Structures are given as structure tokens and as C-alpha cells.
């Protein structure tokens, strides 16, 4: 018998919290906007789930502002994707002194795999409803996702 590759709900929640912590630690200084979108498989209802989290991280003062309810919602959406082996991803938009950057990851099993800068650009500059290209926002730099725990 092969073990079931689907993580338990507790494992999925623990993993989601670990990934979100990795995203916020890797993001550095600035105002961060994290969005997680997941599509559950048909066997799990086939629904699309989305949650967003805004944080402010000032490494010079050591102060970090996080809304606990929004962080919990983001963790639950990501955990639902992990637990059901759904599809989806995370986008991290950061506003800092130098401008704005956007990073992206694709959910693969219980991991967030970094997107390339070109994939982030394509995802951010495509109309989700029509598939038509959108003009890039001035001053926004599209960057690849950075490595997270267990993504190598």
C-alpha cells in the first residue's frame, strides 16, 4: 500500500502558517499585500477561495503590523488548497522606498513554487476575465518569487 499523499487538515494548517511566515520574513521592509487564491478540486466542491492580508513591516524599528483575522483567513484559504491538493497561488505586492515590487508563487501540493519574473508579469498583466493583455502599472517591478521553506 502506498501512503495517502494528501496532508491532514492539521498538517495543512501548520504548513500554511509556515509558508506565510516565510513570505513575510522574505518580503523585508515595507507595506505588504498578500493575496492567496485557490481552486478546490471538483471532489472537494470545486469552489474558488481568495483571501488577502495587508501588513506593515518596519525593520528599522522592529515593528510589524498584522491583522490577525485577515492572517487567519489567508492561512485557512492556503490550508484548504494544501489539504485538498487544489490549484492556486500567492501574490506578494510590496511598497517600499524604492517603489513597488510584485512576487508570485504557484501552489503545488503542500509547497509554493516560485514563479519566474516573466510568469509574474504575465499573471499581473493579463485580464482574468478576458485573457487580454493589460498595460503594466508604472513603477511596478515584477520579480520572481523567492525560495520558501521546502521549495528547493
Amino acid at each position: 500500500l502506498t501512503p495517502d499523499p494528501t496532508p491532514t487538515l492539521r498538517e495543512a494548517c501548520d504548513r500554511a502558517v509556515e509558508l506565510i511566515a516565510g513570505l513575510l520574513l522574505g518580503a523585508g521592509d515595507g507595506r505588504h499585500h498578500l493575496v492567496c487564491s485557490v481552486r478546490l478540486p471538483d471532489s472537494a466542491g470545486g469552489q474558488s477561495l481568495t483571501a488577502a492580508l495587508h501588513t506593515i513591516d518596519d525593520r528599522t524599528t522592529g515593528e510589524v503590523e498584522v491583522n490577525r483575522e485577515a492572517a487567519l483567513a489567508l492561512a485557512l484559504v492556503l490550508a484548504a488548497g494544501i489539504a485538498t491538493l487544489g490549484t492556486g497561488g500567492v501574490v506578494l505586492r510590496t511598497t517600499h522606498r524604492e517603489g513597488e515590487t510584485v512576487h508570485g508563487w504557484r501552489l503545488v501540493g503542500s509547497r509554493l513554487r516560485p514563479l519566474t519574473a516573466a510568469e509574474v508579469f504575465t499573471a499581473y498583466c493579463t485580464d482574468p476575465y478576458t485573457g487580454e493583455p493589460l498595460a503594466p502599472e508604472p513603477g511596478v517591478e515584477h520579480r520572481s518569487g523567492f525560495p520558501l521553506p521546502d521549495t528547493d
Side-chain angles (χ1 to χ4, degrees), residues 19-90:
L19 289 168
I20 292 167
L23 288 164
L24 293 176
L25 284 171
D29 237 2
R31 293 178 175 268
H32 309 295
H33 179 73
L34 278 164
V35 177
C36 178
S37 298
V38 171
R39 176 145 172 84
L40 303 180
D42 290 339
S43 61
Q47 295 179 343
S48 293
L49 307 172
T50 303
L53 172 65
H54 299 274
T55 70
I56 299 173
D57 188 339
D58 187 344
R59 302 269 163 105
T60 59
T61 64
E63 292 184 33
V64 179
E65 290 180 32
V66 177
N67 178 293
R68 294 173 86 96
E69 291 82 13
L72 177 59
L74 188 77
L76 289 173
V77 167
L78 184 53
I82 292 169
T84 62
L85 302 177
T87 58
V90 174

Side-chain angles (χ1 to χ4, degrees), residues 33 91 93 102 119-126 134-135 137 140 142:
H33 179 73
V91 173
R93 184 179 182 125
V102 178
E119 290 171 321
V120 172
F121 179 87
T122 299
Y124 230 75
C125 297
T126 302
L134 298 172
E137 293 177 75
V140 175
H142 301 87

Side-chain angles (χ1 to χ4, degrees), residues 96 98 101-104 115-118 120-121 141-145:
H96 43 80
E98 296 80 33
T101 57
V102 178
H103 299 271
L115 296 175
T116 66
V120 172
F121 179 87
E141 185 179 348
H142 301 87
R143 294 185 183 169
S144 60

